[in-house]
Amino acid sequence: MGWIYLIVAALFEIGRPLGFKMADLHPNRFGLWIMVAIVSMTFSGVFLYLAQKTIPIGTAYIVWTGTAAVATFVLGVVLFNDSASVAKIFCAVI
């Protein structure tokens, strides 16, 4: 169950930078998107806490941050036309 909690935590962690980006792009809905970011951070932390009950903290943290970072990179490229140079893709893969 710990690994399921960890994946859920990583998925919620994507909501933080996504909420911040959307708040910047849609200033008329700034409060809504900041709230999305805050709620996402909260749930991410709760599920990371639950995952760490059965998964070593180092393993949980690296999977949580790595999964969320790569997913956020991909979303940036796909949804926001962020650049995807060979160097950036290489770093994301590593």
Side-chain angles (χ1 to χ4, degrees):
M1 194 69 176
W3 286 99
I4 293 170
Y5 288 148
L6 187 57
I7 297 303
V8 171
L11 292 173
F12 273 114
E13 185 61 17
I14 298 164
R16 179 174 50 97
L18 184 61
F20 291 158
K21 179 68 172 181
M22 295 303 287
D24 182 52
L25 292 176
H26 303 286
N28 58 325
R29 300 214 177 218
F30 178 83
L32 169 70
W33 289 112
I34 292 300
M35 189 55 70
V36 167
I38 291 169
V39 169
S40 293
M41 284 188 281
T42 301
F43 279 110
S44 178
V46 168
F47 281 102
L48 179 61
Y49 164 75
L50 294 172
Q52 290 180 52
K53 288 184 172 193
T54 57
I55 300 171
I57 188 171
T59 303
Y61 188 73
I62 200 163
V63 170
W64 176 67
T65 56
T67 303
V70 170
T72 302
F73 170 72
V74 171
L75 282 176
V77 170
V78 173
L79 298 178
F80 304 111
N81 296 318
D82 291 351
S83 65
S85 67
V86 172
K88 288 180 182 179
I89 294 170
F90 175 75
C91 288
V93 169
I94 289 185

